[in-house]
Amino acid sequence: MSDFEESAKALQEQIIEQAREEYSEVVIEHWLHPRNPYAMDNPDGHGRVKGPCGDTMDIFIRVTDGKITDASFVTDGCITSVVSGSMAVEMATGRDVSEARAISKDDILNALGGLPEVSQHCALLASNTLRAAVDNYMF
Ligand code: FES
């Protein structure tokens, strides 16, 4: 490993260590490995919502026999919106569309082990976007 690579790795570890003081292990894991962060081709449902902060999220779902078999997301928002979108698509996958539609901001926050107060609206953006994707499929 070159000196540059070693110092970049050390810096990354330092940033992760600092993040651990504020965020749960689940948040850090979704931050480092977001689930399906891409725009799906020909989805069965697609929602796009712009939050009050000005950030936008898209969620895409694939549905078979009323069940979400695949889901993905993209966002131009902050890290906590990435983490919230990632958790929303993970929670939606494998569920009936009506169950997925009922996933709330608090469900996402609980699954993430919480977010700082200032970032909780990112979980609301994710739940609203998931609902919009399911509505696009259903109605
Ligand atoms: Fe806008 Fe997180 S600050 S979604």
Side-chain angles (χ1 to χ4, degrees):
M1 195 183 284
S2 71
D3 285 353
F4 174 76
E5 285 170 332
E6 264 182 41
S7 63
K9 191 167 188 299
L11 179 62
Q12 186 189 27
E13 279 166 10
Q14 191 186 336
I15 291 168
I16 293 169
E17 220 31 67
Q18 282 171 357
R20 283 202 168 91
E21 291 170 15
E22 205 172 352
Y23 299 104
S24 72
E25 276 305 315
V26 179
V27 169
I28 306 259
E29 209 274 321
H30 277 262
W31 169 41
L32 295 176
H33 308 286
R35 313 300 194 264
N36 296 350
Y38 59 84
M40 189 184 288
D41 285 336
N42 302 314
D44 295 315
H46 169 215
R48 172 176 292 163
V49 176
K50 191 179 192 122
C53 60
D55 296 334
T56 302
M57 186 178 293
D58 292 76
I59 288 184
F60 308 85
I61 56 172
R62 181 100 53 225
V63 182
T64 306
D65 296 333
K67 201 173 269 244
I68 296 179
T69 53
D70 198 12
S72 70
F73 78 102
V74 289
T75 180
D76 59 5
C78 56
I79 287 294
T80 43
S81 68
V82 172
V83 162
S84 298
S86 175
M87 180 54 86
V89 300
E90 181 174 283
M91 291 175 78
T93 304
R95 294 200 191 208
D96 288 342
V97 284
S98 53
E99 284 175 359
R101 192 177 186 280
I103 292 172
S104 68
K105 165 194 163 194
D106 285 342
D107 293 332
I108 293 172
L109 285 173
N110 287 338
L112 286 171
L115 285 174
E117 183 91 35
V118 68
S119 303
Q120 294 189 356
H121 69 277
C122 309
L124 179 63
L125 178 62
S127 64
N128 285 342
T129 310
L130 176 58
R131 186 169 308 121
V134 173
D135 285 351
N136 177 243
Y137 164 75
M138 288 174 94
F139 304 116

